[in-house]
Amino acid sequence: MRARAISAVHLLLLLSLSHSPPCTMAGKILVWPADFSHWFNINVIIEELVARGHNVTVVTHSATSSVKTEQSQGYNVEIIQVPYTKQDVFNTLDTMFKYWVNEVPNDNLIQGFLKIKEIIDQTTYKNQVLCRELFAREDLLEKWRKERFDVVLTDPMYMCRSLLPLKLNLPFIVSLRFSFGNSMERLCGQLPTPASYVPAVSLGYKHRMDFLQRVKNVLFNFFQDFLFIFLNALKWDPFYTEVMGKPTTLCETMGKADIWLIRTYWDFEFPRPLLPNFKFVGGLHCKPAKPLPKEMEDFVQSSGDDGIVVFSLGFMIKNITKERANTIASALGQIPQKVLWRYTGEKPETLAPNTRVYDWIPQNDLLGHPKTKAFITHGGTNGIYEAIYHGVPMVGLPLFADQPDNVNHMKTKGAAVMLDFNKMNTEDLKQALNDVINNPSYKESIMRLSRIHHDQPMKPLDQAVYWIEYVMRHKGAKHLRVEAHNLTWYQYHCLDVAAFLLSVIALVVFIFVKTCKWLFRKCCRKTAAKSKKE
Ligand SMILES: *[C@@H]1O[C@H](CO)[C@@H](O)[C@H](O)[C@H]1NC(C)=O
Ligand SMILES: *[C@@H]1O[C@H](CO)[C@@H](O)[C@H](O)[C@H]1NC(C)=O
């Protein structure tokens, strides 16, 4: 009787538990995002956090053109005044494109290196100005300390972000695709990256590498680590030390991150070892398609059975050279599909009637449209994930940053054709589109990736939010941080242990040899003496 009563109480308890919302307190979150496509990605997380009742404060600067600062967004905004304008930021970007897309590919190694160095110097300079402005605001830091945030969410694309949680003594979460070709994750996050089967970012290798590729992989990692360490030692470690008032490095500070939210997943990555505090949430911004605007839908429907091709080089590429635009437009004119091209530059003369140019396209809705046959993309992570989500094969025209690596992943997985934007001719592009649309292997490959993407225990966005709330519930996630953070390099590789064991073996061998020699000598002497006697 009693047992039954207890089990009834249990049942009631269980029922009431399963009906109450999961036990999450509304928390306070401080977000310091980066701009442009990085903002787009983190904004999706912010919206979800706001929808779940969390109190979110976003830190931005007066020259941002990404972060919406109206009250209606549902989050609080703190704007840091910087002595440069939106236009300055765009000018830096324009220089970057001019160099990276149009000039560096034709430069020799030295010229190219100097131009890339100039771009890095310019962005680092702007970034440090912003950091200086923020950390000079003692009043603001004091206010934030009083407001008692639970966690800081930030994007380490701009390097000084990890100082903020340290100054406020808060746990923090970083969101990134990769930083410095994995060097930050490897060196600061302690993410194991065996060079034998984890190809370096931007080499374009598969996880199965032959001997020479492994040699290059090891050397490339060394080279990238060297640059990363050198750049930090030169530009960031002194800044970190200055702000903290004691010797501090960027890498040790990044290493304190509680959770790393990486913007990829196994639909994209090759299998590799992970750490408990690395969570892969690629494609968290992807959503089912919404209906298209009427005019656009009519155009799409007019394509009949041939379907459409969606083309975008991202919102940052506003203009390309006349010659490139004409090459592209005449290739597009030679395919039976209709093409929707997002492009704000001058209309190319060779534009054919099957191609329409738009200032802006609802990319996700177009990629999710049943008539879409292919996606021509610069290979930004966001666009690649929309294509994976909706299962659309790609022609990649990567330009810079993570784009070549992204497209390479899709190419090695059989879901994309990659072309060199600067060198391709009309025939190349036409051929690539024909292949991707008419050779079923591309569609099959991207559908396979799409199935992998959708078959997860938790949607990527839910997972990202789960881990943020997890850090708030546990006041950090230091219990997921490996001890490797506290080891020296020779301890990490057990070189001290190896040295010790080798010494022991050497000692044993030494004693053994010595003993043998001694015994042998003794024996010899005895037999010698014996034979003498006889
Ligand atoms: C959210 O946090 C801000 C800053 O701490 C505070 O001023 C505001 O009252 C909070 N809003 C709610 C709804 O708790
Ligand atoms: C695009 O660049 C060309 C030069 O390559 C220039 O003549 C044209 O004005 C630019 N158009 C826009 C809209 O920026």
Side-chain angles (χ1 to χ4, degrees), residues 120 124 156-157 159 176-187 201-202 220-221 223-232 236 250:
I120 292 180
T124 306
M157 178 168 93
M159 299 279 191
L176 68 158
R177 154 78 172 90
F178 63 67
S179 184
F180 234 86
N182 264 334
S183 289
M184 188 188 269
E185 297 94 294
R186 254 180 310 124
L187 299 178
V201 166
S202 84
F220 195 79
N221 275 341
F223 174 68
Q224 223 153 24
D225 288 356
F226 171 77
L227 274 186
F228 180 67
I229 292 168
F230 182 69
L231 190 82
N232 286 342
W236 287 108
L250 177 140

PDB file of all heavy atoms in Angstrom, residues 120 124 156-157 159 176-187 201-202 220-221 223-232 236 250:
ATOM      1  N   ILE A 120      46.551  43.617 -42.730  1.00  0.00           N
ATOM      2  CA  ILE A 120      46.510  43.169 -41.329  1.00  0.00           C
ATOM      3  C   ILE A 120      46.849  44.333 -40.410  1.00  0.00           C
ATOM      4  O   ILE A 120      46.190  44.553 -39.393  1.00  0.00           O
ATOM      5  CB  ILE A 120      47.482  41.989 -41.104  1.00  0.00           C
ATOM      6  CG1 ILE A 120      46.959  40.759 -41.870  1.00  0.00           C
ATOM      7  CG2 ILE A 120      47.619  41.663 -39.618  1.00  0.00           C
ATOM      8  CD1 ILE A 120      47.811  39.533 -41.735  1.00  0.00           C
ATOM      9  N   THR A 124      44.335  45.718 -37.679  1.00  0.00           N
ATOM     10  CA  THR A 124      44.803  45.601 -36.293  1.00  0.00           C
ATOM     11  C   THR A 124      44.814  46.970 -35.625  1.00  0.00           C
ATOM     12  O   THR A 124      44.413  47.115 -34.478  1.00  0.00           O
ATOM     13  CB  THR A 124      46.223  44.999 -36.240  1.00  0.00           C
ATOM     14  OG1 THR A 124      46.219  43.779 -36.955  1.00  0.00           O
ATOM     15  CG2 THR A 124      46.659  44.739 -34.807  1.00  0.00           C
ATOM     16  N   PRO A 156      36.398  36.102 -31.388  1.00  0.00           N
ATOM     17  CA  PRO A 156      37.809  36.482 -31.341  1.00  0.00           C
ATOM     18  C   PRO A 156      38.391  36.896 -32.681  1.00  0.00           C
ATOM     19  O   PRO A 156      39.606  36.953 -32.828  1.00  0.00           O
ATOM     20  CB  PRO A 156      38.491  35.219 -30.822  1.00  0.00           C
ATOM     21  CG  PRO A 156      37.613  34.115 -31.261  1.00  0.00           C
ATOM     22  CD  PRO A 156      36.216  34.657 -31.354  1.00  0.00           C
ATOM     23  N   MET A 157      37.535  37.207 -33.672  1.00  0.00           N
ATOM     24  CA  MET A 157      38.073  37.685 -34.940  1.00  0.00           C
ATOM     25  C   MET A 157      38.931  38.934 -34.678  1.00  0.00           C
ATOM     26  O   MET A 157      39.984  39.116 -35.260  1.00  0.00           O
ATOM     27  CB  MET A 157      36.955  38.036 -35.913  1.00  0.00           C
ATOM     28  CG  MET A 157      37.493  38.592 -37.220  1.00  0.00           C
ATOM     29  SD  MET A 157      36.275  38.709 -38.509  1.00  0.00           S
ATOM     30  CE  MET A 157      35.707  40.382 -38.310  1.00  0.00           C
ATOM     31  N   MET A 159      41.154  40.650 -31.899  1.00  0.00           N
ATOM     32  CA  MET A 159      41.875  39.893 -30.895  1.00  0.00           C
ATOM     33  C   MET A 159      41.636  40.271 -29.436  1.00  0.00           C
ATOM     34  O   MET A 159      41.786  39.437 -28.569  1.00  0.00           O
ATOM     35  CB  MET A 159      43.362  39.968 -31.192  1.00  0.00           C
ATOM     36  CG  MET A 159      43.717  39.371 -32.535  1.00  0.00           C
ATOM     37  SD  MET A 159      43.839  37.602 -32.438  1.00  0.00           S
ATOM     38  CE  MET A 159      44.573  37.174 -33.992  1.00  0.00           C
ATOM     39  N   LEU A 176      33.502  31.179 -33.287  1.00  0.00           N
ATOM     40  CA  LEU A 176      34.390  31.416 -34.432  1.00  0.00           C
ATOM     41  C   LEU A 176      34.316  30.277 -35.449  1.00  0.00           C
ATOM     42  O   LEU A 176      33.826  29.195 -35.153  1.00  0.00           O
ATOM     43  CB  LEU A 176      35.839  31.584 -33.966  1.00  0.00           C
ATOM     44  CG  LEU A 176      36.553  30.370 -33.375  1.00  0.00           C
ATOM     45  CD1 LEU A 176      38.053  30.541 -33.469  1.00  0.00           C
ATOM     46  CD2 LEU A 176      36.171  30.124 -31.952  1.00  0.00           C
ATOM     47  N   ARG A 177      34.809  30.571 -36.667  1.00  0.00           N
ATOM     48  CA  ARG A 177      34.979  29.509 -37.659  1.00  0.00           C
ATOM     49  C   ARG A 177      36.381  28.918 -37.472  1.00  0.00           C
ATOM     50  O   ARG A 177      36.551  27.739 -37.312  1.00  0.00           O
ATOM     51  CB  ARG A 177      34.782  30.098 -39.054  1.00  0.00           C
ATOM     52  CG  ARG A 177      35.481  29.380 -40.184  1.00  0.00           C
ATOM     53  CD  ARG A 177      34.773  28.122 -40.625  1.00  0.00           C
ATOM     54  NE  ARG A 177      35.417  27.614 -41.821  1.00  0.00           N
ATOM     55  CZ  ARG A 177      36.431  26.751 -41.831  1.00  0.00           C
ATOM     56  NH1 ARG A 177      36.888  26.275 -40.714  1.00  0.00           N
ATOM     57  NH2 ARG A 177      36.981  26.372 -42.961  1.00  0.00           N
ATOM     58  N   PHE A 178      37.395  29.740 -37.541  1.00  0.00           N
ATOM     59  CA  PHE A 178      38.741  29.393 -37.104  1.00  0.00           C
ATOM     60  C   PHE A 178      39.470  30.703 -36.928  1.00  0.00           C
ATOM     61  O   PHE A 178      39.024  31.736 -37.387  1.00  0.00           O
ATOM     62  CB  PHE A 178      39.483  28.491 -38.096  1.00  0.00           C
ATOM     63  CG  PHE A 178      39.739  29.105 -39.454  1.00  0.00           C
ATOM     64  CD1 PHE A 178      40.592  30.178 -39.605  1.00  0.00           C
ATOM     65  CD2 PHE A 178      39.123  28.583 -40.582  1.00  0.00           C
ATOM     66  CE1 PHE A 178      40.825  30.727 -40.851  1.00  0.00           C
ATOM     67  CE2 PHE A 178      39.354  29.141 -41.832  1.00  0.00           C
ATOM     68  CZ  PHE A 178      40.208  30.218 -41.962  1.00  0.00           C
ATOM     69  N   SER A 179      40.588  30.677 -36.225  1.00  0.00           N
ATOM     70  CA  SER A 179      41.341  31.900 -36.097  1.00  0.00           C
ATOM     71  C   SER A 179      42.786  31.626 -36.432  1.00  0.00           C
ATOM     72  O   SER A 179      43.388  30.721 -35.879  1.00  0.00           O
ATOM     73  CB  SER A 179      41.217  32.469 -34.701  1.00  0.00           C
ATOM     74  OG  SER A 179      41.885  33.704 -34.660  1.00  0.00           O
ATOM     75  N   PHE A 180      43.305  32.383 -37.364  1.00  0.00           N
ATOM     76  CA  PHE A 180      44.681  32.235 -37.789  1.00  0.00           C
ATOM     77  C   PHE A 180      44.926  30.800 -38.216  1.00  0.00           C
ATOM     78  O   PHE A 180      45.845  30.143 -37.732  1.00  0.00           O
ATOM     79  CB  PHE A 180      45.636  32.660 -36.677  1.00  0.00           C
ATOM     80  CG  PHE A 180      46.596  33.689 -37.158  1.00  0.00           C
ATOM     81  CD1 PHE A 180      46.247  35.013 -37.128  1.00  0.00           C
ATOM     82  CD2 PHE A 180      47.811  33.302 -37.699  1.00  0.00           C
ATOM     83  CE1 PHE A 180      47.105  35.961 -37.609  1.00  0.00           C
ATOM     84  CE2 PHE A 180      48.675  34.251 -38.179  1.00  0.00           C
ATOM     85  CZ  PHE A 180      48.319  35.584 -38.140  1.00  0.00           C
ATOM     86  N   GLY A 181      44.079  30.319 -39.129  1.00  0.00           N
ATOM     87  CA  GLY A 181      44.246  28.976 -39.653  1.00  0.00           C
ATOM     88  C   GLY A 181      44.386  27.944 -38.568  1.00  0.00           C
ATOM     89  O   GLY A 181      45.296  27.124 -38.636  1.00  0.00           O
ATOM     90  N   ASN A 182      43.560  27.983 -37.539  1.00  0.00           N
ATOM     91  CA  ASN A 182      43.570  26.973 -36.480  1.00  0.00           C
ATOM     92  C   ASN A 182      44.611  27.207 -35.399  1.00  0.00           C
ATOM     93  O   ASN A 182      44.593  26.514 -34.388  1.00  0.00           O
ATOM     94  CB  ASN A 182      43.847  25.560 -37.028  1.00  0.00           C
ATOM     95  CG  ASN A 182      42.572  24.814 -37.270  1.00  0.00           C
ATOM     96  OD1 ASN A 182      41.585  25.110 -36.621  1.00  0.00           O
ATOM     97  ND2 ASN A 182      42.583  23.892 -38.188  1.00  0.00           N
ATOM     98  N   SER A 183      45.541  28.134 -35.612  1.00  0.00           N
ATOM     99  CA  SER A 183      46.614  28.290 -34.623  1.00  0.00           C
ATOM    100  C   SER A 183      46.052  28.675 -33.263  1.00  0.00           C
ATOM    101  O   SER A 183      46.531  28.210 -32.242  1.00  0.00           O
ATOM    102  CB  SER A 183      47.619  29.350 -35.076  1.00  0.00           C
ATOM    103  OG  SER A 183      48.369  28.859 -36.157  1.00  0.00           O
ATOM    104  N   MET A 184      45.030  29.519 -33.253  1.00  0.00           N
ATOM    105  CA  MET A 184      44.481  29.941 -31.970  1.00  0.00           C
ATOM    106  C   MET A 184      43.857  28.766 -31.222  1.00  0.00           C
ATOM    107  O   MET A 184      44.079  28.579 -30.032  1.00  0.00           O
ATOM    108  CB  MET A 184      43.450  31.051 -32.161  1.00  0.00           C
ATOM    109  CG  MET A 184      42.995  31.656 -30.851  1.00  0.00           C
ATOM    110  SD  MET A 184      41.635  32.799 -31.046  1.00  0.00           S
ATOM    111  CE  MET A 184      42.489  34.332 -31.254  1.00  0.00           C
ATOM    112  N   GLU A 185      43.105  27.938 -31.963  1.00  0.00           N
ATOM    113  CA  GLU A 185      42.473  26.793 -31.308  1.00  0.00           C
ATOM    114  C   GLU A 185      43.528  25.813 -30.815  1.00  0.00           C
ATOM    115  O   GLU A 185      43.409  25.236 -29.739  1.00  0.00           O
ATOM    116  CB  GLU A 185      41.533  26.066 -32.288  1.00  0.00           C
ATOM    117  CG  GLU A 185      40.370  26.895 -32.774  1.00  0.00           C
ATOM    118  CD  GLU A 185      40.684  27.589 -34.081  1.00  0.00           C
ATOM    119  OE1 GLU A 185      41.573  28.463 -34.076  1.00  0.00           O
ATOM    120  OE2 GLU A 185      40.064  27.260 -35.093  1.00  0.00           O
ATOM    121  N   ARG A 186      44.562  25.609 -31.653  1.00  0.00           N
ATOM    122  CA  ARG A 186      45.579  24.628 -31.304  1.00  0.00           C
ATOM    123  C   ARG A 186      46.446  25.109 -30.155  1.00  0.00           C
ATOM    124  O   ARG A 186      46.655  24.405 -29.176  1.00  0.00           O
ATOM    125  CB  ARG A 186      46.475  24.360 -32.522  1.00  0.00           C
ATOM    126  CG  ARG A 186      46.186  23.036 -33.152  1.00  0.00           C
ATOM    127  CD  ARG A 186      47.067  22.765 -34.337  1.00  0.00           C
ATOM    128  NE  ARG A 186      47.115  23.851 -35.284  1.00  0.00           N
ATOM    129  CZ  ARG A 186      48.234  24.429 -35.673  1.00  0.00           C
ATOM    130  NH1 ARG A 186      49.390  24.046 -35.193  1.00  0.00           N
ATOM    131  NH2 ARG A 186      48.188  25.418 -36.552  1.00  0.00           N
ATOM    132  N   LEU A 187      46.956  26.350 -30.300  1.00  0.00           N
ATOM    133  CA  LEU A 187      47.956  26.817 -29.336  1.00  0.00           C
ATOM    134  C   LEU A 187      47.300  27.352 -28.068  1.00  0.00           C
ATOM    135  O   LEU A 187      47.824  27.177 -26.981  1.00  0.00           O
ATOM    136  CB  LEU A 187      48.825  27.905 -29.963  1.00  0.00           C
ATOM    137  CG  LEU A 187      49.613  27.473 -31.197  1.00  0.00           C
ATOM    138  CD1 LEU A 187      50.399  28.635 -31.752  1.00  0.00           C
ATOM    139  CD2 LEU A 187      50.542  26.324 -30.852  1.00  0.00           C
ATOM    140  N   VAL A 201      44.349  24.305 -42.351  1.00  0.00           N
ATOM    141  CA  VAL A 201      43.412  25.166 -43.042  1.00  0.00           C
ATOM    142  C   VAL A 201      44.119  25.800 -44.234  1.00  0.00           C
ATOM    143  O   VAL A 201      45.256  26.239 -44.110  1.00  0.00           O
ATOM    144  CB  VAL A 201      42.912  26.258 -42.081  1.00  0.00           C
ATOM    145  CG1 VAL A 201      42.204  27.357 -42.834  1.00  0.00           C
ATOM    146  CG2 VAL A 201      42.009  25.653 -41.028  1.00  0.00           C
ATOM    147  N   SER A 202      43.455  25.796 -45.379  1.00  0.00           N
ATOM    148  CA  SER A 202      43.891  26.473 -46.609  1.00  0.00           C
ATOM    149  C   SER A 202      44.902  25.690 -47.438  1.00  0.00           C
ATOM    150  O   SER A 202      45.269  26.130 -48.504  1.00  0.00           O
ATOM    151  CB  SER A 202      44.408  27.893 -46.357  1.00  0.00           C
ATOM    152  OG  SER A 202      45.752  27.855 -45.963  1.00  0.00           O
ATOM    153  N   PHE A 220      53.590  23.698 -42.797  1.00  0.00           N
ATOM    154  CA  PHE A 220      52.619  24.788 -42.874  1.00  0.00           C
ATOM    155  C   PHE A 220      52.102  25.157 -41.485  1.00  0.00           C
ATOM    156  O   PHE A 220      51.960  26.325 -41.149  1.00  0.00           O
ATOM    157  CB  PHE A 220      51.468  24.376 -43.790  1.00  0.00           C
ATOM    158  CG  PHE A 220      50.625  25.523 -44.222  1.00  0.00           C
ATOM    159  CD1 PHE A 220      51.035  26.359 -45.239  1.00  0.00           C
ATOM    160  CD2 PHE A 220      49.414  25.785 -43.594  1.00  0.00           C
ATOM    161  CE1 PHE A 220      50.261  27.432 -45.631  1.00  0.00           C
ATOM    162  CE2 PHE A 220      48.630  26.857 -43.989  1.00  0.00           C
ATOM    163  CZ  PHE A 220      49.055  27.676 -45.008  1.00  0.00           C
ATOM    164  N   ASN A 221      51.824  24.120 -40.667  1.00  0.00           N
ATOM    165  CA  ASN A 221      51.394  24.379 -39.292  1.00  0.00           C
ATOM    166  C   ASN A 221      52.441  25.170 -38.530  1.00  0.00           C
ATOM    167  O   ASN A 221      52.127  26.123 -37.817  1.00  0.00           O
ATOM    168  CB  ASN A 221      51.125  23.064 -38.557  1.00  0.00           C
ATOM    169  CG  ASN A 221      49.723  22.558 -38.809  1.00  0.00           C
ATOM    170  OD1 ASN A 221      48.848  23.313 -39.226  1.00  0.00           O
ATOM    171  ND2 ASN A 221      49.500  21.288 -38.570  1.00  0.00           N
ATOM    172  N   PHE A 223      54.725  27.127 -39.755  1.00  0.00           N
ATOM    173  CA  PHE A 223      54.789  28.463 -40.321  1.00  0.00           C
ATOM    174  C   PHE A 223      53.660  29.333 -39.747  1.00  0.00           C
ATOM    175  O   PHE A 223      53.874  30.459 -39.305  1.00  0.00           O
ATOM    176  CB  PHE A 223      54.695  28.353 -41.842  1.00  0.00           C
ATOM    177  CG  PHE A 223      54.602  29.669 -42.543  1.00  0.00           C
ATOM    178  CD1 PHE A 223      55.677  30.544 -42.560  1.00  0.00           C
ATOM    179  CD2 PHE A 223      53.426  30.029 -43.190  1.00  0.00           C
ATOM    180  CE1 PHE A 223      55.571  31.772 -43.209  1.00  0.00           C
ATOM    181  CE2 PHE A 223      53.320  31.256 -43.843  1.00  0.00           C
ATOM    182  CZ  PHE A 223      54.398  32.119 -43.841  1.00  0.00           C
ATOM    183  N   GLN A 224      52.454  28.764 -39.736  1.00  0.00           N
ATOM    184  CA  GLN A 224      51.308  29.526 -39.263  1.00  0.00           C
ATOM    185  C   GLN A 224      51.427  29.829 -37.759  1.00  0.00           C
ATOM    186  O   GLN A 224      51.135  30.933 -37.323  1.00  0.00           O
ATOM    187  CB  GLN A 224      50.037  28.732 -39.527  1.00  0.00           C
ATOM    188  CG  GLN A 224      48.943  29.611 -40.053  1.00  0.00           C
ATOM    189  CD  GLN A 224      47.963  28.839 -40.897  1.00  0.00           C
ATOM    190  OE1 GLN A 224      47.806  27.626 -40.760  1.00  0.00           O
ATOM    191  NE2 GLN A 224      47.290  29.519 -41.758  1.00  0.00           N
ATOM    192  N   ASP A 225      51.878  28.825 -36.994  1.00  0.00           N
ATOM    193  CA  ASP A 225      52.081  29.035 -35.559  1.00  0.00           C
ATOM    194  C   ASP A 225      53.108  30.131 -35.330  1.00  0.00           C
ATOM    195  O   ASP A 225      52.933  30.988 -34.466  1.00  0.00           O
ATOM    196  CB  ASP A 225      52.582  27.747 -34.900  1.00  0.00           C
ATOM    197  CG  ASP A 225      51.494  26.708 -34.811  1.00  0.00           C
ATOM    198  OD1 ASP A 225      50.344  27.041 -35.187  1.00  0.00           O
ATOM    199  OD2 ASP A 225      51.776  25.577 -34.389  1.00  0.00           O
ATOM    200  N   PHE A 226      54.155  30.079 -36.129  1.00  0.00           N
ATOM    201  CA  PHE A 226      55.210  31.072 -35.973  1.00  0.00           C
ATOM    202  C   PHE A 226      54.644  32.479 -36.200  1.00  0.00           C
ATOM    203  O   PHE A 226      54.852  33.391 -35.396  1.00  0.00           O
ATOM    204  CB  PHE A 226      56.351  30.780 -36.953  1.00  0.00           C
ATOM    205  CG  PHE A 226      57.371  31.861 -37.004  1.00  0.00           C
ATOM    206  CD1 PHE A 226      58.309  31.990 -35.993  1.00  0.00           C
ATOM    207  CD2 PHE A 226      57.392  32.770 -38.054  1.00  0.00           C
ATOM    208  CE1 PHE A 226      59.245  33.007 -36.025  1.00  0.00           C
ATOM    209  CE2 PHE A 226      58.320  33.787 -38.086  1.00  0.00           C
ATOM    210  CZ  PHE A 226      59.246  33.905 -37.072  1.00  0.00           C
ATOM    211  N   LEU A 227      53.881  32.632 -37.304  1.00  0.00           N
ATOM    212  CA  LEU A 227      53.289  33.946 -37.600  1.00  0.00           C
ATOM    213  C   LEU A 227      52.372  34.402 -36.467  1.00  0.00           C
ATOM    214  O   LEU A 227      52.402  35.560 -36.051  1.00  0.00           O
ATOM    215  CB  LEU A 227      52.477  33.879 -38.887  1.00  0.00           C
ATOM    216  CG  LEU A 227      53.223  34.087 -40.190  1.00  0.00           C
ATOM    217  CD1 LEU A 227      52.246  34.129 -41.352  1.00  0.00           C
ATOM    218  CD2 LEU A 227      54.013  35.400 -40.142  1.00  0.00           C
ATOM    219  N   PHE A 228      51.559  33.467 -35.991  1.00  0.00           N
ATOM    220  CA  PHE A 228      50.593  33.780 -34.937  1.00  0.00           C
ATOM    221  C   PHE A 228      51.317  34.243 -33.671  1.00  0.00           C
ATOM    222  O   PHE A 228      50.987  35.272 -33.078  1.00  0.00           O
ATOM    223  CB  PHE A 228      49.746  32.536 -34.655  1.00  0.00           C
ATOM    224  CG  PHE A 228      48.705  32.712 -33.593  1.00  0.00           C
ATOM    225  CD1 PHE A 228      47.623  33.555 -33.791  1.00  0.00           C
ATOM    226  CD2 PHE A 228      48.797  32.017 -32.402  1.00  0.00           C
ATOM    227  CE1 PHE A 228      46.659  33.707 -32.809  1.00  0.00           C
ATOM    228  CE2 PHE A 228      47.832  32.169 -31.421  1.00  0.00           C
ATOM    229  CZ  PHE A 228      46.768  33.018 -31.626  1.00  0.00           C
ATOM    230  N   ILE A 229      52.330  33.469 -33.269  1.00  0.00           N
ATOM    231  CA  ILE A 229      53.070  33.793 -32.045  1.00  0.00           C
ATOM    232  C   ILE A 229      53.808  35.125 -32.219  1.00  0.00           C
ATOM    233  O   ILE A 229      53.802  35.987 -31.341  1.00  0.00           O
ATOM    234  CB  ILE A 229      54.061  32.654 -31.711  1.00  0.00           C
ATOM    235  CG1 ILE A 229      53.271  31.410 -31.302  1.00  0.00           C
ATOM    236  CG2 ILE A 229      55.024  33.065 -30.613  1.00  0.00           C
ATOM    237  CD1 ILE A 229      54.098  30.158 -31.220  1.00  0.00           C
ATOM    238  N   PHE A 230      54.377  35.292 -33.412  1.00  0.00           N
ATOM    239  CA  PHE A 230      55.141  36.502 -33.713  1.00  0.00           C
ATOM    240  C   PHE A 230      54.226  37.734 -33.674  1.00  0.00           C
ATOM    241  O   PHE A 230      54.515  38.730 -33.036  1.00  0.00           O
ATOM    242  CB  PHE A 230      55.765  36.323 -35.093  1.00  0.00           C
ATOM    243  CG  PHE A 230      56.629  37.455 -35.523  1.00  0.00           C
ATOM    244  CD1 PHE A 230      57.848  37.694 -34.889  1.00  0.00           C
ATOM    245  CD2 PHE A 230      56.248  38.279 -36.563  1.00  0.00           C
ATOM    246  CE1 PHE A 230      58.652  38.734 -35.286  1.00  0.00           C
ATOM    247  CE2 PHE A 230      57.052  39.326 -36.960  1.00  0.00           C
ATOM    248  CZ  PHE A 230      58.262  39.557 -36.322  1.00  0.00           C
ATOM    249  N   LEU A 231      53.073  37.610 -34.348  1.00  0.00           N
ATOM    250  CA  LEU A 231      52.130  38.733 -34.397  1.00  0.00           C
ATOM    251  C   LEU A 231      51.627  39.092 -33.001  1.00  0.00           C
ATOM    252  O   LEU A 231      51.524  40.266 -32.649  1.00  0.00           O
ATOM    253  CB  LEU A 231      50.951  38.377 -35.304  1.00  0.00           C
ATOM    254  CG  LEU A 231      50.026  39.530 -35.646  1.00  0.00           C
ATOM    255  CD1 LEU A 231      50.602  40.333 -36.790  1.00  0.00           C
ATOM    256  CD2 LEU A 231      48.650  39.029 -36.020  1.00  0.00           C
ATOM    257  N   ASN A 232      51.311  38.078 -32.211  1.00  0.00           N
ATOM    258  CA  ASN A 232      50.837  38.325 -30.853  1.00  0.00           C
ATOM    259  C   ASN A 232      51.909  38.984 -30.009  1.00  0.00           C
ATOM    260  O   ASN A 232      51.642  39.951 -29.301  1.00  0.00           O
ATOM    261  CB  ASN A 232      50.419  37.016 -30.183  1.00  0.00           C
ATOM    262  CG  ASN A 232      49.115  36.524 -30.730  1.00  0.00           C
ATOM    263  OD1 ASN A 232      48.372  37.286 -31.342  1.00  0.00           O
ATOM    264  ND2 ASN A 232      48.853  35.260 -30.541  1.00  0.00           N
ATOM    265  N   TRP A 236      49.938  42.160 -29.687  1.00  0.00           N
ATOM    266  CA  TRP A 236      48.866  41.977 -28.720  1.00  0.00           C
ATOM    267  C   TRP A 236      49.313  41.736 -27.293  1.00  0.00           C
ATOM    268  O   TRP A 236      48.709  42.256 -26.364  1.00  0.00           O
ATOM    269  CB  TRP A 236      47.902  40.870 -29.182  1.00  0.00           C
ATOM    270  CG  TRP A 236      47.061  41.344 -30.314  1.00  0.00           C
ATOM    271  CD1 TRP A 236      47.158  40.973 -31.620  1.00  0.00           C
ATOM    272  CD2 TRP A 236      46.026  42.322 -30.258  1.00  0.00           C
ATOM    273  NE1 TRP A 236      46.247  41.650 -32.382  1.00  0.00           N
ATOM    274  CE2 TRP A 236      45.529  42.492 -31.570  1.00  0.00           C
ATOM    275  CE3 TRP A 236      45.469  43.090 -29.239  1.00  0.00           C
ATOM    276  CZ2 TRP A 236      44.511  43.373 -31.881  1.00  0.00           C
ATOM    277  CZ3 TRP A 236      44.444  43.972 -29.549  1.00  0.00           C
ATOM    278  CH2 TRP A 236      43.986  44.109 -30.852  1.00  0.00           C
ATOM    279  N   LEU A 250      47.881  37.066 -24.962  1.00  0.00           N
ATOM    280  CA  LEU A 250      46.606  36.796 -25.628  1.00  0.00           C
ATOM    281  C   LEU A 250      46.271  35.320 -25.520  1.00  0.00           C
ATOM    282  O   LEU A 250      45.144  34.940 -25.215  1.00  0.00           O
ATOM    283  CB  LEU A 250      46.715  37.209 -27.098  1.00  0.00           C
ATOM    284  CG  LEU A 250      45.500  36.926 -27.963  1.00  0.00           C
ATOM    285  CD1 LEU A 250      45.269  38.092 -28.895  1.00  0.00           C
ATOM    286  CD2 LEU A 250      45.628  35.662 -28.774  1.00  0.00           C
TER     287      LEU A 250
END
